[in-house]
Amino acid sequence: MTPRVVFPNKLLPYLLLLPQLAITLVFFYWPASQALYQSMLREDPFGLRSTFVWFANFRRVLNDPNYINSVQVTAVFSIATALLSMAVALLLAVMADKVIRGRGVYRTLLIWPYAVAPAIAGMLWLFMFNPTMGTFAYMLRGAGYNWDPLLNGPQAMTLVVAAAAWKQISYNFLFFVAGLQAIPKSLIEAAAIDGARETKRFWTIVFPLLAPTTFFLLVINTTYAFFDTFGIIHAVTGGGPGKATETLVYKVYNDGFVNLILGDSAAQSVILMVIVIALTAFQFRYVERKVHYG
């Protein structure tokens, strides 16, 4: 039985918690309360006059076809980004776990993209697939494929998903490699002795034991797709063409900072916060039931 830790000073635990509580209060609760208050105001663009309208901003936002389109775009974008980045990262982690020579160099090269800022990652992919001067765009046109993400909505979505997933692969790779190294080799060797092939060993032993890591990354990647991909979308497509890549977080920026519709933008930020919290709670409530911690 683990002995219980007792602090000799009754004030010490609260002092240790105080910095984290202060950071949470200043950078989350205070901005969230301000957004909630502003979402119930109707303000002119210059902030000279405001009217308290209760939930009128929410009703207008939820009845706006462009906002419904952003919800659909965000759902497609977040699911595709999370699944693609996690699947590729898992594949690379399995391959890296088998490398004998140069394992450290191989892993370091795979981690590098995580150090790239989202806007820079977006610009890299935009240059490579730019329809007029991009190298890969030239190769696609040479193969007879009419590539133009600046005018084609599905192609633009494909490009931002690829850029966002590429940016997150390194983060997922780190955790999958750590998870693979924590699996006892004796279990895999015993299955191999019993005649189980490599593919069967992976799906029956390795992947179930990676369930806690996979669940953690599912939550992190969902949050990443909702919020941290703003820089990529802004650099690559700007929400276009025709709002085909305008996610919820980009619409908050577009309405608030570009069109200066402050009340609607604040209402959208509150709705986005509620969606992410509800989605995370759903994942912990139902998805985690299928996760077995060894």
Side-chain angles (χ1 to χ4, degrees):
M1 182 176 180
T2 304
R4 184 179 178 183
V5 178
V6 179
F7 288 95
N9 190 332
K10 299 296 183 182
L11 189 61
L12 181 59
Y14 299 99
L15 292 177
L16 295 175
L17 289 173
L18 186 60
Q20 183 61 42
L21 291 176
I23 292 174
T24 305
L25 177 65
V26 172
F27 292 101
F28 178 75
Y29 288 110
W30 175 251
S33 63
Q34 289 294 304
L36 183 60
Y37 173 71
Q38 193 173 16
S39 67
M40 297 183 182
L41 297 178
R42 184 167 297 167
E43 303 179 68
D44 66 280
F46 302 101
L48 300 177
R49 188 179 71 256
S50 61
T51 306
F52 197 79
V53 295
W54 288 99
F55 299 102
N57 292 331
F58 290 93
R59 287 194 294 269
R60 184 167 55 255
V61 166
L62 294 175
N63 290 324
D64 183 7
N66 291 328
Y67 187 76
I68 303 302
N69 174 72
S70 295
V71 173
Q72 297 171 347
V73 169
T74 303
V76 174
F77 174 76
S78 58
I79 293 173
T81 300
L83 292 181
L84 180 61
S85 62
M86 291 177 65
V88 175
L90 180 58
L91 175 63
L92 293 175
V94 172
M95 295 171 61
D97 197 48
K98 296 179 180 178
V99 173
I100 304 300
R101 292 184 178 179
R103 177 181 297 181
V105 176
Y106 181 69
R107 292 176 180 174
T108 302
L109 292 176
L110 287 174
I111 293 169
W112 273 1
Y114 188 64
V116 179
I120 302 301
M123 291 304 298
L124 289 173
W125 281 79
L126 180 60
F127 282 136
M128 290 189 297
F129 288 92
N130 187 280
T132 56
M133 61 180 181
T135 303
F136 290 98
Y138 177 80
M139 295 169 61
L140 289 171
R141 287 198 305 270
Y145 186 74
N146 186 21
W147 172 260
D148 192 355
L150 301 180
L151 298 176
N152 189 295
Q155 292 180 2
M157 175 61 75
T158 302
L159 182 58
V160 293
V161 166
W166 175 81
K167 174 71 174 64
Q168 191 69 1
I169 284 173
S170 300
Y171 183 89
N172 299 336
F173 171 80
L174 284 173
F175 283 91
F176 276 131
V177 167
L180 288 171
Q181 291 180 343
I183 297 175
K185 301 300 180 184
S186 58
L187 294 176
I188 302 175
E189 293 171 356
I193 293 173
D194 289 340
R197 295 184 178 274
E198 185 175 0
T199 304
K200 188 175 182 179
R201 294 199 301 269
F202 176 80
W203 290 113
T204 58
I205 298 176
V206 176
F207 190 71
L209 291 175
L210 283 175
T213 303
T214 305
F215 172 72
F216 166 78
L217 290 176
L218 178 63
V219 176
I220 294 299
N221 280 265
T222 302
T223 307
Y224 162 78
F226 269 87
F227 292 106
D228 294 344
T229 53
F230 169 83
I232 294 174
I233 295 175
H234 187 59
V236 177
T237 63
K243 300 184 181 298
T245 58
E246 188 180 58
T247 59
L248 289 174
V249 67
Y250 197 82
K251 185 166 177 57
V252 170
Y253 160 79
N254 205 26
D255 287 352
F257 290 89
V258 178
N259 298 323
L260 297 178
I261 311 175
L262 304 180
D264 287 11
S265 177
Q268 291 174 31
S269 67
V270 172
I271 295 173
L272 178 58
M273 179 178 64
V274 171
I275 290 174
V276 173
I277 292 175
L279 186 59
T280 305
F282 173 82
Q283 290 175 332
F284 275 95
R285 181 70 175 84
Y286 295 102
V287 179
E288 194 182 21
R289 284 183 175 181
K290 301 182 181 298
V291 176
H292 300 283
Y293 297 91

